[in-house]
Amino acid sequence: MRVNLRRRPFSLATRLTFFISLATIIAFAAFTGMMLHSVEKHFAEQDVNDLKQVNATLSALLTAPNTPEAEKITNIGNALASYRNIAVLLRTRENPQLYRSPNGPDLSPIFASSQFAQELKTQQMFRWESSSMPPMLGHQGSAKPTTTYRVIASTFHDNQRTYTLLTALSIDFHLHYLDELKRNLMMIAAAISLLIIGIVLIAVRKGHQPLRDVSMEIKNITSDNLDVRLEPERVPIELEQLVISFNQMIGRIEDVFRRQANFS
């Protein structure tokens, strides 16, 4: 006698629970990913607008005609006084540190980076990280020191000289917020996933109830009550043909039993 070693397939309830739960969880994960991307994009756009606004203000101050350089530096300090998270480093060929934000980090290492030369040409915003940078004003209470900035490098010309300006915006608050948001969403996703699996299990069990009822009625049919017939109109349409076929089969069996009884 040959033994079938093939493993028994998973039950319909297990299959339905798995695939429905998986599809729902994937959809929720996709929604979470899009939401995180949207928040991160919003922060990046906000940073770009802030940096461009500051850059435009400093550009107007640096290129103001008939203004002594000392007065320009004073005006820059006054303009930056209202910005807590902005750090600035201004230099000329003659003076490598013409102006530096008093409470800001030392941005001079950026000038030596290969990234600076590339971004200066395009004047695009780039990210700069350095563990040596101290926390900026307003961020001393952060969970970690401020080490990440969005930076934009620009050059301005007046009649006398060329200025190179680095404007840096601390984004540790945004990064900390995104980390907290991701952590909270992960916990929410885990709880919702368990809830989804529980709901699907209940729904699948309720959905299979007619099938279990039909199976129980068939189980109760013996040789003593072969005249019993299932009612196709009382089962879901998916089971109607199965019930009709079973009634036809039990009818043939009943006919065979009756012939054997009459023959004997």
Side-chain angles (χ1 to χ4, degrees):
M1 179 178 177
R2 294 184 59 185
V3 179
N4 191 352
L5 299 178
R6 293 183 61 186
R7 190 177 64 179
R8 185 175 183 175
F10 291 109
S11 67
L12 292 178
T14 302
R15 294 184 183 187
L16 285 173
T17 301
F18 174 77
F19 286 114
I20 295 175
S21 301
L22 180 64
T24 307
I25 292 171
I26 289 175
F28 180 75
F31 170 77
T32 302
M34 289 187 293
M35 185 174 67
L36 287 172
H37 176 72
S38 177
V39 173
E40 191 171 358
K41 183 179 178 181
H42 169 73
F43 282 154
E45 291 175 350
Q46 187 179 22
D47 295 342
V48 170
N49 292 335
D50 291 344
L51 285 173
K52 286 184 176 180
Q53 181 181 0
V54 173
N55 237 37
T57 301
L58 299 182
S59 172
L61 295 174
L62 288 172
T63 57
N66 304 321
T67 304
E69 188 171 79
E71 184 178 344
K72 291 180 180 180
I73 300 303
T74 302
N75 293 337
I76 289 175
N78 294 334
L80 293 175
S82 59
Y83 294 96
R84 293 193 307 167
N85 305 327
I86 295 290
V88 166
L89 179 60
L90 178 66
R91 78 170 185 176
T92 62
R93 183 174 298 179
E94 298 79 13
N95 190 343
Q97 201 170 95
L98 182 61
Y99 176 83
R100 172 186 169 182
S101 298
N103 297 314
D106 181 16
L107 301 177
S108 56
I110 297 179
F111 290 115
S113 66
S114 59
Q115 192 177 19
F116 167 74
Q118 178 182 356
E119 300 299 342
L120 182 62
K121 297 178 182 179
T122 60
Q123 293 193 358
Q124 296 293 321
M125 184 178 64
F126 61 95
R127 183 175 291 193
W128 173 262
E129 296 181 0
S130 175
S131 57
S132 63
M133 292 183 177
M136 290 194 62
L137 187 64
H139 285 269
Q140 289 86 348
S142 299
K144 58 180 181 178
T146 299
T147 58
T148 308
Y149 294 82
R150 295 193 195 276
V151 184
I152 188 168
S154 310
T155 55
F156 306 104
H157 306 275
D158 64 5
N159 296 330
Q160 298 178 347
R161 62 183 64 192
T162 300
Y163 299 97
T164 303
L165 177 68
L166 290 178
T167 308
L169 173 65
S170 170
I171 61 171
D172 270 11
F173 176 79
H174 291 171
L175 296 179
H176 179 70
Y177 176 84
L178 286 172
D179 289 342
E180 286 293 324
L181 181 61
K182 289 177 183 177
R183 191 177 300 110
N184 292 336
L185 285 176
M186 288 292 291
M187 291 188 294
I188 293 173
I192 290 180
S193 298
L194 293 176
L195 181 63
I196 288 172
I197 292 174
I199 293 174
V200 171
L201 277 172
I202 295 173
V204 169
R205 183 170 180 81
K206 290 292 185 182
H208 283 170
Q209 188 61 46
L211 187 58
R212 287 195 297 273
D213 293 341
V214 169
S215 178
M216 185 59 65
E217 291 186 37
I218 292 175
K219 184 179 179 180
N220 292 332
I221 297 177
T222 64
S223 58
D224 297 326
N225 58 349
L226 291 176
D227 58 331
V228 173
R229 298 293 183 270
L230 305 182
E231 302 179 30
E233 63 276 2
R234 297 187 59 183
V235 299
I237 191 170
E238 293 84 0
L239 301 178
E240 182 179 13
Q241 187 57 51
L242 175 65
V243 170
I244 292 174
S245 299
F246 175 79
N247 287 340
Q248 293 174 348
M249 180 190 68
I250 204 70
R252 290 193 292 270
I253 293 175
E254 182 186 18
D255 184 60
V256 170
F257 265 75
R258 185 183 299 112
R259 290 181 182 180
Q260 286 182 347
N262 292 336
F263 178 78
S264 58

